Amino acid sequence: MNQKNKIIEVYGLWFADLVTIGVSFILATYLRFGNFKDMGDKAIHFQVCLLFLLFCTIYTFFLDWNRNFLKRSIGKELKAIIQYHIIMLLVVQVIMYFLQWAEPFSRFVMGLFMVLNVFMTLSVHVLAKQVMRLHYQSDLSRIKVLVITQRDMAVGVIGQLKNNLEINYQLVGIACLGDCGKEGEEIAGIPLLQIGDNFLEDVTLMALDEVFVYAPELKQGQVRDLLNGFDQMGVDCHYCLEVPGLGNGRGKMDNFGDYSVITYTRFQSSYKRLLIKRVMDIAGGMVGMLITVLFFPFVALAIKLDSKGPVLFSQIRIGRNGRRFKIYKFRSMYIDAEERKKELESQNEVHGLMFKMENDPRITKVGKFIRKTSIDELPQFYNVLKGDMSLVGTRPPTADEFEKYNQYYRRRISMTPGLTGLWQVSGRSEIDNFDDVVKYDLEYIDGWSLTLDMKILLRTIWVVTAGRGSK
């Protein structure tokens, strides 16, 4: 099971099972006694409920009974649930016998609880399965994979990957060694790419998360070039054969579609921490949206009185691993800003792919204020709630900027972009070289932790309140 999926499935189902136990126990008790006053020894009844909850926790995490959850049919799901309840009943009854709780506890409540909980657990699992499948198949959650293999192995490799990979994997292309046909054709329904001199440059512009390489005849020098290229992009690469001297501490043994591979990745943190990061994003996004709603009438009125055009400005930006999304801001420039940008390119104060001017004539009077105070970025909390962005991350590049990226620059989008980031709190107004922005972003990615996110958030608050926002 993919580790990210395992976090969602195991912890999500564990929580759901705890809730069903609580609801089923309360219903069974109420149906037996008609109230909660005449239930006999209340302490024992609630302690038995705690035993059920404790058993559920141990059974979930030590026996991992929800493994292959998404692949189980309804029949297999019901069988697993019945087995779980039989073992739970036997274990709890034994404990109750030794603790002498069996006599004062209602046998009718026990039987009714078991029946109710079987049906409730089955219903919740079926619903959870549908929700998870919808989540995994969304564009933000799907893991986009490029396959590199040999022509005579292509059909078999694709077939095995399709049969064994989790449902959230999407094969977006296959590149074959040697004469494998013309670009634009398909192999087993997967678009064909040519491996030429500009292969890595072409792949740089793809929406791509991972690469799977299975090519035994590929020379080690070619393998090293491929893996180094994808490593620079920040794209995880699964290779079926060991390449001595390349791992640099980033290679780890893994399974990918039932293949044994060495995965080369710079990301070494726990996906549990990423789950906590997403919870923080949702909580922060909700608070941010509330602040945005409170500011909206006043900012909207000021923008409308100052210049013609919409209140909100939207633009296509590049998110995690090449995904396109629409970013939202309060409009701080005149409506012809994009057209006038070409006229001002010669006055760009940043060396590299970014554009910045000290006194940009495209910025309105209100725009200068809301930029200085970072009020213009409040609508981006909507992007945070959607999952396009995080509270803390890297700077999301524009589409035209992204088209000029090389492999080194590309790695800065290997993490979800953020509303704020390390470069924003490190004197962004004084940065005059795009390579410095990349340096800060890569420093954030390589050293990411929840503690670092909290530090950046606190520093962001200080930067904004001290009036050190964007110029």
Side-chain angles (χ1 to χ4, degrees), residues 17 21 55-56 59 65 80-88:
D17 291 341
I21 286 174
F55 174 86
C56 173
Y59 196 81
W65 77 291
I81 290 173
I82 291 176
Q83 177 179 310
Y84 156 69
H85 279 81
I86 290 174
I87 297 174
M88 178 165 62

Side-chain angles (χ1 to χ4, degrees), residues 132-142 167-168 170:
M132 287 180 184
R133 282 175 174 165
L134 288 174
H135 170 70
Y136 290 155
Q137 292 174 352
S138 68
D139 188 65
L140 276 174
S141 301
R142 299 197 83 170
I167 64 172
N168 63 321
Q170 178 187 11

Side-chain angles (χ1 to χ4, degrees), residues 10 105 120 170 177 202 245 296 343 366 377 415 447 451 453:
V10 173
F105 189 85
M120 287 190 67
Q170 178 187 11
L177 303 175
D202 295 336
F296 190 89
E343 304 172 4
V366 170
E377 298 183 358
M415 241 182 133
T451 303
D453 274 7

Side-chain angles (χ1 to χ4, degrees), residues 125-153:
H125 279 211
V126 170
L127 178 62
K129 194 171 296 187
Q130 296 301 319
V131 172
M132 287 180 184
R133 282 175 174 165
L134 288 174
H135 170 70
Y136 290 155
Q137 292 174 352
S138 68
D139 188 65
L140 276 174
S141 301
R142 299 197 83 170
I143 300 174
K144 301 176 185 296
V145 180
L146 171 67
V147 178
I148 300 177
T149 186
Q150 295 164 198
R151 182 63 182 90
D152 57 340
M153 303 170 60

Side-chain angles (χ1 to χ4, degrees), residues 67-295:
R67 61 183 178 274
N68 298 322
F69 170 74
L70 290 174
K71 296 182 179 180
R72 292 200 300 236
S73 62
I74 293 182
K76 291 182 178 179
E77 189 67 45
L78 180 59
K79 180 181 177 181
I81 290 173
I82 291 176
Q83 177 179 310
Y84 156 69
H85 279 81
I86 290 174
I87 297 174
M88 178 165 62
L89 177 63
L90 292 174
V91 171
V92 171
Q93 287 280 26
V94 169
I95 295 174
M96 290 174 64
Y97 173 80
F98 283 105
L99 294 177
Q100 298 182 345
W101 291 354
E103 188 63 30
F105 189 85
S106 171
R107 293 173 177 80
F108 183 85
V109 171
M110 179 68 76
L112 187 56
F113 163 77
M114 285 293 164
V115 173
L116 287 173
N117 205 54
V118 166
F119 285 102
M120 287 190 67
T121 303
L122 179 62
S123 301
V124 169
H125 279 211
V126 170
L127 178 62
K129 194 171 296 187
Q130 296 301 319
V131 172
M132 287 180 184
R133 282 175 174 165
L134 288 174
H135 170 70
Y136 290 155
Q137 292 174 352
S138 68
D139 188 65
L140 276 174
S141 301
R142 299 197 83 170
I143 300 174
K144 301 176 185 296
V145 180
L146 171 67
V147 178
I148 300 177
T149 186
Q150 295 164 198
R151 182 63 182 90
D152 57 340
M153 303 170 60
V155 175
V157 169
I158 290 176
Q160 186 161 346
L161 290 176
K162 285 183 174 180
N163 290 333
N164 292 284
L165 285 175
E166 302 291 331
I167 64 172
N168 63 321
Y169 281 90
Q170 178 187 11
L171 302 182
V172 295
I174 181 166
C176 297
L177 303 175
D179 184 13
C180 58
K182 297 180 180 179
E183 188 165 353
E185 295 179 357
E186 293 185 346
I187 298 178
I190 307 300
L192 176 66
L193 302 176
Q194 292 290 345
I195 298 182
D197 295 334
N198 298 321
F199 175 67
L200 287 175
E201 286 75 11
D202 295 336
V203 172
T204 297
L205 301 180
M206 289 180 62
L208 183 65
D209 298 302
E210 299 180 8
V211 177
F212 173 69
V213 182
Y214 187 25
E217 295 179 8
L218 198 63
K219 295 180 180 179
Q220 283 195 357
Q222 294 173 297
V223 172
R224 189 175 296 108
D225 291 341
L226 280 174
L227 295 181
N228 278 330
F230 289 119
D231 180 63
Q232 283 189 334
M233 296 182 202
V235 174
D236 290 356
C237 194
H238 307 280
Y239 184 64
C240 282
L241 300 175
E242 182 178 359
V243 183
L246 184 65
N248 295 327
R250 293 191 296 272
K252 61 180 180 179
M253 296 301 298
D254 206 350
N255 289 321
F256 190 85
D258 208 33
Y259 286 101
S260 295
V261 298
I262 297 177
T263 300
Y264 294 89
T265 175
R266 287 178 178 265
F267 184 76
Q268 300 293 335
S269 189
S270 167
Y271 283 105
K272 294 179 183 179
R273 296 191 187 98
L274 284 179
L275 185 62
I276 297 174
K277 180 179 174 69
R278 181 57 190 148
V279 172
M280 290 171 56
D281 287 342
I282 293 173
M286 293 175 67
V287 173
M289 283 302 298
L290 178 61
I291 296 173
T292 305
V293 170
L294 294 175
F295 271 80

